Amino acid sequence: MKKIKDFNPGDEASLYLRFSDIQFRKTQANADYASMLGFDGTDLIDVKMWSLKEEEKEILKNGEIYLASGRMKDYQGKMQFNVVNIREITSEDDIVMEEFFEYAPLKKTDLEKLIIGYIQKIENKNLFEIVNYIFKKYHKAFFLHPAAMTMHHNYYSGLAYHTYTMLRLSEAYLDIYEFLNKDLVYAGILLHDIGKVIELSGPKGTEYTKEGNLLGHIFIGSSEISKAAEALGIEETDEVISLIHIILSHHGKLEFGSPKEPMIAEAVLIHYLDLTDSRLASLEKDLEKTEAGGFTEPLISFDRRNFYKPKI
């Protein structure tokens, strides 16, 4: 079966695609249509279904795989797939379903061992107890969830891999800047995105939950720390206040969704590590699809800048 990369604008195409980010909208003429992303196991493509029928609307679900037929189109310099017909796959379709889902570069079992190893490195009693309490509560979800819907680490175990990468990055900074508190850095990284286990529905057909839409992972994460601290009887400690501040400030600026800007040295570091890993992980995926000597498509996470891939 052909893949997205095998087609050019104007081509008729039939593709097996896993749909995500499905949105039902209306045209200016008040006609229903669907907008979504299609993943063929290697690449993503923007998908549109115009003149959407009610029966098609009912079968469209995030995370499911379909056989889609239609025509490729050039839209603002980017290929778009205008789908005319879809059908759900059956056992008779000759496809390997696992190929249509993305997974972290490390196995879940390896990530569990590595991250638990970092938890055990925390020597401060209060910080260790809070992290251990929350990880026991959300262990399964944490090691399966993605870190985002589309922007970065949006695959099985993406949240754990993003967290592990930040922990590894922190080692160099802790070695150079000895004034930083190692335990607070580890605990802050381990918990900075813990709210995403509630904000996002899971790795298959990822959507924002009701809590995710109404509260967001920053509030959810800080609330989980408060609950853990209360259960452990350590609510008024500096460890708890500092951890909550790290959660509230890890996006760095108010306009990026942080209720507070970093006012603790460890919070500054965690913001930079989070920004670095999320941006570079996103850039890596786009550069993998770009030939040496060429430019990427405009990247949303970099203010729609194009990046050149040197022939080196």
Side-chain angles (χ1 to χ4, degrees), residues 3 17 21 53 60 93 131 207 303:
K3 298 283 189 177
L17 296 173
D21 196 23
K53 302 181 183 71
L60 279 172
D93 288 291
V131 173
E207 297 178 314
D303 299 322

Side-chain angles (χ1 to χ4, degrees), residues 118-124 127-128 131 183 186-187 190:
Y118 274 100
I119 295 173
Q120 292 171 343
K121 289 180 182 181
I122 299 173
E123 297 173 354
N124 179 281
L127 291 173
F128 173 79
V131 173
D183 290 345
Y186 287 167
L190 286 160

Side-chain angles (χ1 to χ4, degrees), residues 26-309:
K26 287 188 179 291
T27 65
Q28 290 182 343
N30 207 37
D32 290 327
Y33 76 97
S35 177
M36 65 207 90
L37 293 173
F39 180 65
D40 68 357
T42 305
D43 296 310
L44 280 168
I45 191 168
D46 181 37
V47 178
K48 294 287 188 289
M49 286 189 68
W50 306 104
S51 303
L52 189 67
K53 302 181 183 71
E54 192 61 35
E55 57 267 28
E56 293 171 331
K57 191 173 181 179
E58 289 178 2
I59 67 169
L60 279 172
K61 293 184 176 68
N62 278 308
E64 298 298 332
I65 304 169
Y66 302 85
L67 178 62
S69 301
R71 183 182 292 274
M72 294 295 180
K73 176 185 175 182
D74 184 293
Y75 180 71
Q76 296 182 346
K78 188 176 179 180
M79 198 149 74
Q80 183 184 92
F81 189 22
N82 288 348
V83 171
V84 178
N85 295 303
I86 61 166
R87 71 163 174 83
E88 297 171 280
I89 61 166
T90 69
S91 58
E92 296 180 4
D93 288 291
D94 187 23
I95 63 169
V96 180
M97 290 186 63
E98 287 76 14
E99 293 178 358
F100 289 81
F101 295 91
E102 293 181 89
Y103 299 84
L106 294 177
K107 293 180 181 178
K108 183 172 76 72
T109 52
D110 292 335
L111 284 168
E112 286 175 323
K113 291 175 184 176
L114 291 164
I115 286 177
I116 289 170
Y118 274 100
I119 295 173
Q120 292 171 343
K121 289 180 182 181
I122 299 173
E123 297 173 354
N124 179 281
K125 183 176 182 293
N126 288 342
L127 291 173
F128 173 79
E129 287 188 350
I130 292 169
V131 173
N132 197 46
Y133 182 95
I134 293 174
F135 264 76
K136 282 185 176 179
K137 185 177 180 181
Y138 293 113
H139 181 99
K140 182 178 179 181
F142 179 85
F143 287 101
L144 282 176
H145 263 57
M149 278 185 60
T150 56
M151 294 298 289
H152 69 94
H153 301 92
N154 55 326
Y155 41 69
Y156 276 83
S157 302
L159 176 57
Y161 187 70
H162 171 51
T163 301
Y164 171 62
T165 305
M166 286 178 61
L167 288 164
R168 285 186 62 197
L169 288 169
S170 75
E171 298 280 10
Y173 288 87
L174 291 168
D175 186 49
I176 296 169
Y177 301 106
E178 296 182 2
F179 75 95
L180 293 167
N181 185 292
K182 170 183 68 69
D183 290 345
L184 186 55
V185 169
Y186 287 167
I189 292 172
L190 286 160
L191 297 179
H192 84 285
D193 270 349
I194 195 66
K196 290 185 175 181
V197 302
I198 296 172
E199 180 185 48
L200 301 174
S201 60
K204 181 180 178 182
T206 308
E207 297 178 314
Y208 284 102
T209 62
K210 179 174 68 176
E211 294 85 354
N213 278 313
L214 296 178
L215 304 176
H217 74 279
I218 288 177
F219 174 83
I220 294 168
S222 62
S223 177
E224 286 299 318
I225 292 171
S226 294
K227 291 176 187 175
E230 184 178 0
L232 295 166
I234 53 174
E235 305 99 298
E236 304 300 325
T237 63
D238 245 22
E239 289 92 339
V240 171
I241 295 169
S242 299
L243 267 182
I244 291 175
H245 175 74
I246 287 170
I247 303 301
L248 295 177
S249 66
H250 78 271
H251 280 192
K253 293 185 178 293
L254 304 180
E255 57 264 36
F256 297 153
S258 275
K260 295 293 294 182
E261 294 188 3
M263 296 175 66
I264 295 174
E266 291 77 10
V268 173
L269 174 61
I270 289 169
H271 162 58
Y272 286 138
L273 295 177
D274 185 38
L275 184 67
T276 298
D277 189 47
S278 61
R279 293 294 188 271
L280 288 179
S282 174
L283 181 57
E284 179 185 21
K285 290 181 72 172
D286 284 278
L287 286 173
E288 284 175 351
K289 298 182 289 185
T290 305
E291 292 186 10
F295 285 86
T296 66
E297 295 178 350
L299 305 183
I300 295 173
S301 56
F302 288 94
D303 299 322
R304 304 197 67 80
R305 294 201 302 275
N306 303 84
F307 279 76
Y308 178 71
K309 187 173 182 177

